Amino acid sequence: MSMEMQAQLGSCQGNSGDPIFTEDFGVGTTNTVLPPPGSTTYIFSNGIPNDGFYTVTNGTFGNGIDWHETEDHTPGDVNGKCLIIQAGPSAGEFYRTTISGLCEETTYEFSAWLINLVRANSFCSTQPGGTIPINVRFQIWDDTDTTLLANGETGNIVETSSPNWEQNALVFQTLPAQTSVILKMINNGAGGCGNDLAIDDIVFKTCGDLIAVEDSNANDSATICSSQTPYADTITAIPDFAVFTNHFYQWQVSTDGTTWTDILGETNASISFTGITTTTYFRTKVAEFAANLNNLDCITYSDVYEILVNPNPSQPSSNGDVNFNCSTNEAVLAVASVAGITINWYDAPTGGTLLQSGSETYLATASGIYYACLLYTSPSPRDEQ
């Protein structure tokens, strides 16, 4: 039976959860076979593969043919490996793996990075018909391999003059009682002069709504001075309903934006906080079903709301009193500049009239006492001191 459901070629347009499956093919300097649970109909090669062969190795340097010399895609690894394939004489499946531990009736994003290994203006480009492009079909099947959940293809990815890794993605939804799926990658074109590719960084992660977080002033962050602490407000998660019909929440807090802790009892769309004295971050886990909130494979996260607490700025340093010039009826007042600070001028220390903004100098046209006040130039909302 083939029943395609909610197929979408493209990345998740909302918020995602953490990856629940990642295949980066490991590291090392030798050619190796596919790591489990991956499988292929191609034949392993202990060197640069010929038509119908594959290898897993750390890049294509010294390939001796008209391929790009490139390392794998995974950022930051050393001698990272990727799956390298030279298409066989006919189209067919070249990679398959089973992804387990999924949540039922949950939307996921599959993604992988691909590169056309053939260099532009190489030997193949001089042949009749030119270089054969790579063209890959992605399919997601149920664990019985009888129900097609989603499929899509890259279209032709032509050769380039320099190495160019491209990410391709497919969004799908699991069925009721379904907790595992089969990923297939199928080569749409036949081998020959071209159609040689590498694959890296296969990832599965949940896909949910785009979920903004706003405070009582409709801002997505707050920047305050330490003199304004302890700080209090209410923030609210605002989903766009692009994927989820229902929303269940568990708010989290962090002091560094990396390590997060659940806040006991905070499971509504809004959360009120008080007593903030240092830079603090809030976000919420979101699930379409309440039972999924405790399963990291089933949730997505909202945007992060940051409360940035800056130390109080130093008072602006005056360049000194200035005598009023009665002939020109003016005097130029000035203060020393402070990095990241805007200077505003007033006619009173508090509650005065704004005379000039954004300047370290002020042209007074009447004698008197004038006051330079500091304004942080941090992102909105900005707070005067």
Side-chain angles (χ1 to χ4, degrees):
M1 177 176 65
S2 178
M3 180 177 64
E4 185 176 335
M5 298 182 63
Q6 298 194 8
Q8 178 187 341
L9 185 60
S11 60
C12 176
Q13 298 303 300
N15 291 66
S16 299
D18 295 328
I20 63 172
F21 173 88
T22 300
E23 178 58 83
D24 62 8
F25 300 102
V27 297
T29 57
T30 60
N31 296 68
T32 53
V33 298
L34 271 174
S39 64
T40 182
T41 59
Y42 280 48
I43 303 170
F44 170 70
S45 171
N46 197 29
I48 297 300
N50 294 317
D51 286 357
F53 285 74
Y54 85 94
T55 194
V56 177
T57 193
N58 62 323
T60 57
F61 297 99
N63 59 76
I65 51 179
D66 291 331
W67 282 5
H68 293 295
E69 293 195 333
T70 180
E71 60 184 4
D72 75 328
H73 171 266
T74 309
D77 64 357
V78 177
N79 289 321
K81 294 185 176 185
C82 55
L83 172 62
I84 298 173
I85 297 160
Q86 187 154 176
S90 60
E93 179 182 305
F94 62 84
Y95 182 78
R96 173 192 293 233
T97 191
T98 298
I99 313 300
S100 302
L102 304 180
C103 300
E104 61 180 293
E105 297 182 282
T106 300
T107 301
Y108 289 92
E109 177 199 79
F110 147 78
S111 63
W113 289 83
L114 279 69
I115 184 174
N116 186 333
L117 291 175
V118 180
R119 287 186 287 109
N121 301 316
S122 62
F123 171 76
C124 289
S125 63
T126 67
Q127 301 306 295
T131 305
I132 301 173
I134 68 173
N135 189 314
V136 178
R137 175 173 292 276
F138 305 121
Q139 292 185 338
I140 307 293
W141 292 79
D142 75 334
D143 56 4
T144 67
D145 201 10
T146 58
T147 300
L148 179 63
L149 303 179
N151 80 96
E153 61 182 52
T154 63
N156 288 340
I157 300 176
V158 300
E159 73 273 29
T160 54
S161 57
S162 59
N164 182 35
W165 285 93
E166 295 183 5
Q167 187 182 39
N168 293 267
L170 185 65
V171 174
F172 68 97
Q173 187 177 58
T174 53
L175 301 174
Q178 182 179 56
T179 59
S180 63
V181 297
I182 299 171
L183 163 68
K184 298 180 184 180
M185 295 187 190
I186 299 170
N187 196 340
N188 281 338
C193 208
N195 200 5
D196 305 324
L197 68 152
I199 300 169
D200 203 8
D201 294 326
I202 300 170
V203 174
F204 279 75
K205 56 186 177 181
T206 53
C207 174
D209 292 345
L210 181 63
I211 304 169
V213 177
E214 295 183 355
D215 59 26
S216 57
N217 294 313
N219 294 310
D220 59 9
S221 64
T223 301
I224 63 173
C225 293
S226 56
S227 60
Q228 294 174 285
T229 62
Y231 185 69
D233 204 347
T234 297
I235 56 177
T236 302
I238 306 172
D240 65 0
F241 288 87
V243 178
F244 291 171
T245 301
N246 301 302
H247 301 82
F248 295 88
Y249 301 96
Q250 173 58 66
W251 284 94
Q252 297 184 306
V253 65
S254 174
T255 58
D256 58 9
T258 300
T259 302
W260 295 88
T261 303
D262 288 353
I263 306 173
L264 184 64
E266 295 295 348
T267 57
N268 295 318
S270 296
I271 179 175
S272 297
F273 52 80
T274 59
I276 300 298
T277 58
T278 60
T279 295
T280 305
Y281 305 84
F282 290 93
R283 73 179 184 186
T284 181
K285 296 188 289 188
V286 185
E288 192 168 15
F289 304 97
N292 286 345
L293 272 176
N294 295 322
N295 188 336
L296 295 181
D297 293 343
C298 308
I299 63 170
T300 59
Y301 295 99
S302 70
D303 292 345
V304 173
Y305 184 90
E306 177 189 29
I307 304 168
L308 179 62
V309 180
N310 289 311
N312 288 334
S314 302
Q315 293 293 332
S317 176
S318 172
N319 287 342
D321 293 342
V322 176
N323 292 327
F324 189 76
N325 189 326
C326 295
S327 298
T328 60
N329 289 323
E330 63 182 23
V332 179
L333 306 176
V335 296
S337 63
V338 180
I341 298 296
T342 295
I343 305 296
N344 286 352
W345 294 85
Y346 291 86
D347 59 4
T350 59
T353 301
L354 176 63
L355 303 174
Q356 182 170 310
S357 61
S359 176
E360 296 160 12
T361 62
Y362 174 66
L363 181 64
T365 57
S367 61
I369 300 176
Y370 298 89
Y371 301 87
C373 296
L374 275 66
L375 185 72
Y376 264 122
T377 54
S378 304
S380 177
R382 294 181 294 185
D383 298 282
E384 245 178 76
Q385 298 298 308

